[in-house]
Amino acid sequence: MQRERLLKVLVVGDLGVGKTSIIKRYVHQVFSQHYRATIGVDFALKVLNWDKQTVVRLQLWDIAGQERYGNMTRVYYREAVGALVVFDMTRLSTFQAVLKWKRDLDSKVTLSDGRPVPAVLLANKCDHLSHGLCPKLPKLDNFAQDQGFLGWYETSAKDNTNIDAAITHLVKNILSAEDDKLSTARNEAGGNVIVLQRVDYSKKEKSLNGCAGCSSTKPRHGGND
């Protein structure tokens, strides 16, 4: 029997970094140069047949680039279990905003055990490397590790580069963490099982009926059981 898992994943980053393009490419396998800027929030659903036992319903929430400056992100972030933080490799300011988005996430949403939601960093528009910022960027391996990301990927919605790989990496981490948590909970429950003594109420009732001086089958005290 298959089980279904609903995962809410946020896609955040500054205006124009390609969040909508990434989602459209991943969910619908299409790309356009002319998407309108997202206002507020939008989301798309991708159904993944993860394995023989698991169907994943992946909700990708496209958070508008300007929303970090408002108070609504706390509402949009609620119940998220993962995030993609996106910057544009051709615009240094969008990379400089990555830490602000990461702090915004960490301050407004956590997993049920209090840990930050897992996040993957996407260096988008790698198809523009010829006029990109590679020489000005720090070594992203160290940067991603130091800032608490699961990892990072060079991506291109236009060329469909690494988008599936990045999201698969994130989903795999989310499911693995949830399975570990469930396994731990089961083990802990198994080690603290309380066996309740079974009471045979038919015998108890006979005893009460045969009690000297009792005029009822009900006990005289404890009527508020």
Side-chain angles (χ1 to χ4, degrees):
M1 181 176 179
Q2 283 190 324
R3 56 178 180 170
E4 288 194 0
R5 310 281 282 271
L6 178 64
L7 306 181
K8 177 179 176 179
V9 169
L10 307 171
V11 185
V12 302
D14 271 10
L15 187 68
V17 296
K19 301 184 297 296
T20 302
S21 294
I22 287 171
I23 293 172
K24 294 287 188 184
R25 170 61 81 179
Y26 181 68
V27 175
H28 303 295
Q29 292 300 311
V30 297
F31 175 78
S32 171
Q33 300 276 12
H34 306 293
Y35 290 124
R36 291 179 297 175
T38 301
I39 298 173
V41 65
D42 196 3
F43 76 88
L45 178 68
K46 175 93 167 182
V47 178
L48 305 173
N49 293 308
W50 190 257
D51 56 36
K52 291 181 179 180
Q53 291 80 35
T54 311
V55 173
V56 173
R57 295 186 177 275
L58 183 63
Q59 283 187 351
L60 294 167
W61 284 60
D62 183 359
I63 311 296
Q66 67 271 26
E67 283 299 321
R68 180 169 53 83
Y69 305 103
N71 295 320
M72 287 301 292
T73 50
R74 191 177 299 275
V75 177
Y76 299 151
Y77 291 176
R78 189 176 298 156
E79 298 181 354
V81 293
L84 301 169
V85 182
V86 187
F87 74 94
D88 180 345
M89 293 188 74
T90 70
R91 293 160 54 209
L92 184 59
S93 63
T94 66
F95 173 73
Q96 293 168 337
V98 162
L99 290 184
K100 295 177 183 177
W101 280 103
K102 185 67 165 64
R103 292 190 196 107
D104 195 54
L105 285 168
D106 293 347
S107 68
K108 293 177 180 176
V109 62
T110 58
L111 300 178
S112 58
D113 58 7
R115 292 182 297 117
V117 296
V120 171
L121 178 64
L122 303 187
N124 197 37
K125 303 188 183 181
C126 67
D127 52 292
H128 294 160
L129 285 180
S130 58
H131 52 280
L133 297 169
C134 289
K136 298 179 182 179
L137 293 176
K139 291 187 175 181
L140 290 180
D141 287 336
N142 295 335
F143 175 83
Q145 185 174 5
D146 292 344
Q147 303 305 325
F149 287 97
L150 292 178
W152 73 279
Y153 290 81
E154 287 185 356
T155 59
S156 168
K158 181 179 180 181
D159 295 344
N160 197 18
T161 303
N162 282 337
I163 292 173
D164 279 23
I167 297 177
T168 297
H169 180 57
L170 178 61
V171 171
K172 187 179 294 185
N173 179 273
I174 294 168
L175 294 179
S176 177
E178 288 187 355
D179 288 342
D180 288 346
K181 184 178 176 182
L182 183 61
S183 177
T184 300
R186 284 174 176 167
N187 290 337
E188 289 176 351
N192 295 280
V193 175
I194 300 174
V195 179
L196 299 176
Q197 183 177 359
R198 183 177 177 181
V199 177
D200 190 335
Y201 284 98
S202 63
K203 290 182 179 178
K204 189 173 182 180
E205 187 172 328
K206 289 177 183 178
S207 174
L208 288 170
N209 283 333
C211 179
C214 291
S215 60
S216 169
T217 58
K218 295 182 181 179
R220 296 181 181 179
H221 303 290
N224 292 327
D225 284 355

